[in-house]
Every structure is written in structure tokens, then in C-alpha cells.
Amino acid sequence: MTALTGPRDERPDRRFTLVAAEKTVRLASGRTVRAWAFDGQLPGPTLRVRQGELVEVTVRNELPRANVAVHWHGVDVPNAEDGVPGVTQNAIRPGGTHVYRFRPDESGTHWYHSHQQTSVQQMKGLFGALIIDPPKPAPVDHDWYLAMHSWKTEDGATVPALGLADRLERRRAAPGERVRLRLLNSDRLTHEFSLTGTSFRVTALDGNAVRGPTPVSDRKLAIGAGGRYDVEFVMPDRPVRLTEIQDFVGARDRGLLISADGRGEVTPDLPSREFDPTTYGTPAPTPFGPGSRFTRTKTMVFDNEIGFYDGRFRVTWTVNGMAFPDAPNLTVREGDLVRLRFANRSHFDHPMHLHGHHVLVLSRNGRPVTGSPVWLDTVNVRVGEVWEVAFRADNPGIWMDHCHIGDHAVLGMMMHLSYENVTSPYRVGRATGNRVE
């Protein structure tokens, strides 16, 4: 696995340095958060590159008592650049550095976050946007990245916010201007959004362009942990409001209001129907599909169990009745065409994230995709749902496959996708300093 690196001898097109350190920040409400941050920013600095460029990122750890590692979520990097401690590298110790190099083939809205004790470090603020522009990006007048996150404040409250805005934020856009909202859910839970005051188009899912997007109205957008939706609209001659509607009473005072002068009021909508990406857009050919001949097929049933795990009695999150490290790993050969069936029998959503690969959705709850091909890196399997997805095994390595709710991963819902004849010299566990969950 250590040989599966990005280019090491070429001059990079883009160089970045990310420094992880403690930081006390103030939310829009005035509440303070004792956070961990990259470069002192929450979320971390936006890294913007072009598709095909050689990217070099040096990560320096200035946290006094914690190791870190950085994962490039949604980017099919070479395995050794994936940033998973105990699998693809040793975690970066205090005072240490690590250099990542990769050349992204994809474009769109992606993100980076710590994969060392993800359930703790990501929630404390170690994440940021990675935006990869295609060779000819579609022009927009306003291109805004918005991360939905819950912050633990110094007074003990858990406060949801768009970035650091836990109060209604106001921005300006003139009528006729084109606006793109890049929505990221960096939180633990599924979040639902409404856009009031205009129709809109969903132009990308997990950074993957939607073919033939059409106007949408009166639909809520449900985004699982780790997922991204790109939403675009032409600014009307009235205010527009983005609202997170999970806690609608509290959400009345939160969100984003856009108007020509930054003023005005909008009563947020509460749509009852959910946007369905599997029926949206225009169909297009795909390299494989439901009728293809698959060389590997695996069913994964998600459940919750009560029992002893890691020395304590607790609720665990299982795959086929087993928790990490006993959960069923998948071994493939390079070139395999793999079909996965996700069935959620538990009482909670499970946004399943496969590192190093994008999956094509074949069906949702037994119904085939009828719109644009749906390519995802994080599949949010809601309670009672069954999804079928497929991918080509074309990126050798040892890859994490896990629920992106960190509290679920740390209590068992983690697996590996392993290619034949690929091994890792790294080890995971408290004694090693590598905490992959």
C-alpha cells in the first residue's frame, strides 16, 4: 500500500499548508467555542484547485495532546494519500508534519476532515472545503460554500449553525444574478433544508454533476452526514431564504437570507415532500447498470445491538450482526464490478461512505433510477430503506467503508474494502496512536 502514492517527483501546481491547533472562536450569537481548527479558521480554509492539477498539502500538527490525519472526502486519491491512520499512514503526532500529494480526476464540491478520532476531531472543527473546478466551470455571480455543523459551546450547549452563523445571516445578490449554494453536511445527523422565495436547480450531488437539472420548488433537501448538494438559482426581485428545517421552531432564527440590499424578511417554507435524486434530471448512458454482470455482490444489513464492545456495555452499530473489527470486509480484484445492497433495519440513518471510489445508484427501495445517473461517495440509507449501488474496483488499496456518523463508526459500523495482494504496514488501536474511528 505504501507504494500507492501520488506523484512524488513532479512540481505541484498548487501548494497548501494546513496547521491544526486549538482556537477559541465566537459564534454569531456571541457564544464561544473552544475548537480545534486548521489555520485558525472555522470551517478551515477553502482549498480551490482545478481538475487534473497536482495538489500538494502539508499538514502540521500543533495540537498539544492529540494526533491528526487528513482525509480528502469524495476524492479518489491514491491509497497512500487517503489520510486514514492505522490503514494508510501513521497519525501525525504533536509537532509533526505529513505531506499529501494527489491529482484529482473529478471536479465539484468536496471536503477534507480529520480521520483521527473523527467523531471528536471533525466535530471540534477540523474540516474545510475542497472545491475542484472543471476545465471550463459554469459562470456564476456568487459561489457560496455553506457547512451545516453543530458546535459544542463553552456553556455546554449544542448549537447548530451554517458555518459560525447560529443566527440568521444576510448576504447580498442583485436581481438577475446567478447564485450557487454549495451545501455540506459536516454534522452527525441528517439535515433537511428548504429554499423559499424562488425555484432552484440541484446541479450536483456529492460534487457529481446532474444531467439536465430542472426547476424544483416545494421540496425539502435531505442531506446525510458527509453529503453535499449544489443548488443554483437566478436571483429574483425579492428576498430568498435558505432554512435548515429539522428543528423548525429554532430554525426561524437561523439560516441565510439573500436580498438586493441585505434586508427584508421571508417566512420559511416547511415542505412536506422530499427531493428524490433518483427521479430527477435526464437519463444518460453509464459504464454499467442493473443488467450488468457483476463479479462480486454483497448485502449489508445495518442494525443496532446491545452488548459489550471495547470493554463496555453499550449499544453497538452492526453490519450483518457484527461490529468492527469483525464486520464483514469485502475483498476484490482490480477490475471487479461490484454490487452492494444496503438494508437499514436500525432506528437511525446511516450515510455509508466508501473511500477511494464513487458508487452508481442502481435502485432505491426496489425502484430503479429514472433520472440523471446518480453517482455518490456517501449514500444516506434512511430508516427502513434498501439501496442497491455498484462500483468498478479500479483504485487498488485498502479502503475504509463506514457510516459517516462518527458515533456509529466508533461503535462498530466500520469495514474495509481490500484489494487482493495489497497489504498495510500500519496498525490501529490506542497503543499505536492510530485512532481511525
Side-chain angles (χ1 to χ4, degrees):
M1 187 276 299
T2 55
L4 301 173
T5 68
R8 290 290 158 182
D9 299 326
E10 300 178 33
R11 181 182 179 87
D13 300 293
R14 305 275 180 170
R15 277 196 174 103
F16 303 96
T17 298
L18 295 173
V19 180
E22 295 177 334
K23 177 76 173 182
T24 298
V25 299
R26 191 177 299 276
L27 302 179
S29 64
R31 282 174 151 162
T32 56
V33 177
R34 296 188 66 181
W36 294 353
F38 288 117
D39 293 7
Q41 300 180 39
L42 290 181
T46 295
L47 309 184
R48 192 148 196 165
V49 303
R50 281 194 178 273
Q51 183 178 359
E53 288 185 325
L54 179 56
V55 180
E56 178 183 280
V57 185
T58 300
V59 177
R60 186 163 75 248
N61 182 12
E62 292 186 358
L63 294 168
R65 294 173 296 278
N67 300 344
V68 300
V70 176
H71 169 59
W72 315 100
H73 187 122
V75 186
D76 296 346
V77 298
N79 193 217
E81 313 294 347
D82 197 40
V84 179
V87 181
T88 67
Q89 66 173 89
N90 283 321
I92 309 166
R93 297 184 179 274
T97 62
H98 188 91
V99 178
Y100 299 91
R101 279 185 161 222
F102 52 89
R103 192 187 300 276
D105 291 331
E106 53 272 283
S107 62
T109 305
H110 304 287
W111 63 305
Y112 61 91
H113 60 80
S114 174
H115 221 294
Q116 169 83 357
Q117 285 189 285
T118 314
S119 58
V120 174
Q121 296 195 6
Q122 179 190 307
M123 296 309 298
K124 289 177 74 71
L126 288 178
F127 70 93
L130 173 59
I131 296 176
I132 306 170
D133 288 317
K136 294 182 179 180
V140 293
D141 299 291
H142 302 280
D143 193 351
W144 292 326
Y145 161 76
L146 302 166
M148 187 71 213
H149 201 76
S150 292
W151 301 103
K152 187 77 169 181
T153 61
E154 288 192 294
D155 59 8
T158 299
V159 179
L162 283 173
L164 296 180
D166 60 336
R167 292 292 182 264
L168 183 64
E169 182 183 5
R170 296 174 180 271
R171 299 188 186 185
R172 297 184 179 187
E177 289 186 325
R178 186 172 295 279
V179 179
R180 177 187 294 133
L181 304 179
R182 299 178 185 264
L183 304 179
L184 160 68
N185 183 0
S186 57
D187 206 2
R188 286 187 170 99
L189 309 175
T190 298
H191 283 279
E192 297 176 345
F193 299 86
S194 71
L195 193 66
T196 308
T198 183
S199 62
F200 58 91
R201 295 180 303 126
V202 178
T203 55
L205 303 166
D206 284 359
N208 304 293
V210 174
R211 180 182 174 90
T214 54
V216 176
S217 59
D218 192 31
R219 292 289 187 277
K220 59 185 176 182
L221 305 176
I223 307 178
R228 289 91 63 212
Y229 275 33
D230 285 13
V231 173
E232 297 186 22
F233 59 91
V234 176
M235 187 66 192
D237 59 357
R238 58 187 178 276
V240 172
R241 178 165 174 169
L242 176 74
T243 308
E244 191 278 321
I245 59 177
Q246 209 77 342
D247 171 18
F248 189 63
V249 175
R252 292 177 186 275
D253 299 322
R254 297 193 303 269
L256 173 66
L257 190 143
I258 309 167
S259 64
D261 57 3
R263 302 176 185 175
E265 299 297 332
V266 178
T267 301
D269 291 333
L270 184 60
S272 59
R273 298 181 63 187
E274 185 177 304
F275 170 79
D276 184 357
T278 67
T279 62
Y280 180 70
T282 304
T286 55
F288 46 84
S292 297
R293 180 181 178 185
F294 296 96
T295 50
R296 295 280 194 279
T297 297
K298 193 172 191 69
T299 295
M300 299 181 182
V301 180
F302 307 138
D303 243 321
N304 43 281
E305 311 270 347
I306 297 177
F308 282 95
Y309 186 73
D310 199 18
R312 294 174 59 189
F313 190 74
R314 58 182 81 191
V315 174
T316 60
W317 300 94
T318 62
V319 181
N320 295 353
M322 295 178 286
F324 180 85
D326 299 319
N329 297 323
L330 177 62
T331 301
V332 298
R333 292 180 178 177
E334 188 171 1
D336 275 348
L337 187 58
V338 184
R339 178 171 56 194
L340 301 177
R341 184 175 182 266
F342 299 142
N344 186 359
R345 295 196 311 197
S346 77
H347 64 276
F348 220 97
D349 294 359
H350 296 299
M352 299 305 296
H353 174 47
L354 173 61
H355 289 211
H357 304 76
H358 288 73
V359 300
L360 176 69
V361 176
L362 304 179
S363 68
R364 181 183 187 183
N365 299 326
R367 296 186 296 272
V369 174
T370 58
S372 170
V374 179
W375 292 93
L376 302 173
D377 56 63
T378 308
V379 181
N380 191 31
V381 188
R382 310 203 77 176
V383 175
E385 287 193 331
V386 177
W387 290 66
E388 283 194 328
V389 303
F391 68 93
R392 177 72 69 182
D394 56 4
N395 195 6
I398 301 173
W399 301 98
M400 289 293 296
D401 184 8
H402 63 97
C403 179
H404 215 274
I405 297 174
D407 296 336
H408 295 182
V410 75
L411 291 176
M413 198 166 279
M414 296 191 296
M415 301 157 285
H416 289 113
L417 168 70
S418 301
Y419 283 67
E420 291 183 353
N421 302 317
V422 177
T423 60
S424 171
Y426 305 111
R427 295 293 180 267
V428 69
R430 290 186 179 88
T432 68
N434 296 322
R435 302 284 299 277
V436 66
E437 74 276 2

